[in-house]
Amino acid sequence: MASLQTWTKNFLGWVFFCCCCFLPLLLTSPLPPKAAGVASTTHHTCRLRKLNFQPYIRNRTYTLAKMARVSDEDTDNRLIGQQLYVNVKENNRCYMMKRIVEIVVKDVLLTEVKDQYPYASEVVQFFASLTSELSKCKFSGHREHIEKNLEEMKTKIKELGDNGKTKAIGELDLLFDYIENACTDIPKKAGNKKKN
Ligand SMILES: *[C@@H]1O[C@H](CO)[C@@H](O)[C@H](O)[C@H]1NC(C)=O
């Protein structure tokens, strides 16, 4: 019995020894290419094709926004703007816009408000399809500033009540442009660079 125990001990010792010596060797060589692959797909998942932004749906979205703006007299508040990007790294902007679109779809477009506007269901479908294409898009680094800016926007919509929803619909044209800019590779306009 004792010899079996010793044998087991020795065997486990060997297993442990082998793991310590050979596992690092095994891990170090294939890791770099693998990590690079992961990094590039992570980047790829936060990209939309330019093809998503067809003139037809742009027109529908802009028209819907224009209609809503008729009944929005409050010009002091702005929901979609550069303040959303404060302290947010450039490579997280697409993720940020994805989250904004999710909020606008869920808290605004899918509420009773949509029945008041023509094209609303088409536009909802369009934005929902963008977020589903971006379903694997994740942030990198710290998320606290992202969450803080999102929370501020949500709070603002809530505080403005029904007018907050109207305002959000009135800014769908901005949202359209922002997510297009953040998630597709379009040539940057000169002097349009924002630092943060
Ligand atoms: C949308 O298209 C219609 C018809 O082609 C045009 O009259 C209208 O001005 C367009 N609206 C916007 C906001 O681009």
Side-chain angles (χ1 to χ4, degrees), residues 37-48:
V38 168
S40 74
T41 49
T42 306
H43 175 75
H44 192 70
T45 54
C46 289
R47 279 280 160 253
L48 291 170

Side-chain angles (χ1 to χ4, degrees), residues 101-169:
V101 168
E102 281 170 354
I103 292 168
V104 170
V105 167
K106 183 167 155 286
D107 293 358
V108 179
L109 290 173
L110 288 181
T111 64
E112 70 283 2
V113 173
K114 70 172 189 291
D115 304 324
Q116 300 166 19
Y117 299 96
Y119 314 137
S121 59
E122 277 175 272
V123 173
V124 172
Q125 265 180 27
F126 163 71
F127 280 116
S129 74
L130 296 186
T131 58
S132 89
E133 275 201 47
L134 290 171
S135 62
K136 294 208 174 69
C137 173
K138 301 278 188 288
F139 68 97
S140 65
H142 299 293
R143 75 185 304 168
E144 56 184 301
H145 288 295
I146 298 175
E147 297 303 327
K148 182 172 165 279
N149 297 354
L150 286 171
E151 216 41 56
E152 276 173 12
M153 192 197 75
K154 273 200 222 171
T155 310
K156 214 186 255 182
I157 295 180
K158 225 173 258 167
E159 279 172 2
L160 293 169
D162 274 349
N163 199 45
K165 291 179 181 176
T166 310
K167 180 173 288 296
I169 295 175

Side-chain angles (χ1 to χ4, degrees), residues 58-60 62-63 66:
R58 185 188 302 273
N59 179 291
R60 289 297 192 243
Y62 280 37
T63 305
K66 214 169 166 182

Side-chain angles (χ1 to χ4, degrees):
M1 286 304 114
S3 72
L4 183 63
Q5 255 176 11
T6 328
W7 185 85
T8 312
K9 254 186 201 162
N10 281 340
F11 178 72
L12 287 177
W14 267 103
V15 169
F16 185 71
F17 174 77
C18 289
C19 284
C20 289
C21 292
F22 297 118
L23 210 59
L25 279 178
L26 277 174
L27 286 177
T28 43
S29 50
L31 205 62
K34 208 175 173 187
V38 168
S40 74
T41 49
T42 306
H43 175 75
H44 192 70
T45 54
C46 289
R47 279 280 160 253
L48 291 170
R49 283 158 302 143
K50 200 73 179 149
L51 219 66
N52 286 298
F53 302 89
Q54 294 290 330
Y56 170 81
I57 194 68
R58 185 188 302 273
N59 179 291
R60 289 297 192 243
T61 309
Y62 280 37
T63 305
L64 175 58
K66 214 169 166 182
M67 283 173 173
R69 281 202 297 275
V70 173
S71 43
D72 179 19
E73 280 151 19
D74 159 33
T75 52
D76 297 335
N77 293 289
R78 172 60 87 73
L79 299 170
I80 308 298
Q82 287 296 320
Q83 82 277 3
L84 293 171
Y85 289 153
V86 170
N87 295 319
V88 173
K89 283 187 298 175
E90 189 137 6
N91 61 344
N92 279 329
R93 287 184 172 190
C94 183
Y95 173 78
M96 185 71 183
M97 291 322 297
K98 172 187 113 164
R99 295 282 308 275
I100 300 275
V101 168
E102 281 170 354
I103 292 168
V104 170
V105 167
K106 183 167 155 286
D107 293 358
V108 179
L109 290 173
L110 288 181
T111 64
E112 70 283 2
V113 173
K114 70 172 189 291
D115 304 324
Q116 300 166 19
Y117 299 96
Y119 314 137
S121 59
E122 277 175 272
V123 173
V124 172
Q125 265 180 27
F126 163 71
F127 280 116
S129 74
L130 296 186
T131 58
S132 89
E133 275 201 47
L134 290 171
S135 62
K136 294 208 174 69
C137 173
K138 301 278 188 288
F139 68 97
S140 65
H142 299 293
R143 75 185 304 168
E144 56 184 301
H145 288 295
I146 298 175
E147 297 303 327
K148 182 172 165 279
N149 297 354
L150 286 171
E151 216 41 56
E152 276 173 12
M153 192 197 75
K154 273 200 222 171
T155 310
K156 214 186 255 182
I157 295 180
K158 225 173 258 167
E159 279 172 2
L160 293 169
D162 274 349
N163 199 45
K165 291 179 181 176
T166 310
K167 180 173 288 296
I169 295 175
E171 292 186 9
L172 284 176
D173 55 338
L174 291 175
L175 189 60
F176 189 102
D177 292 352
Y178 264 75
I179 194 165
E180 182 184 24
N181 278 308
C183 302
T184 64
D185 299 302
I186 61 163
K188 285 202 175 74
K189 280 189 214 124
N192 201 21
K193 266 198 169 158
K194 289 279 182 310
K195 54 164 201 289
N196 52 45

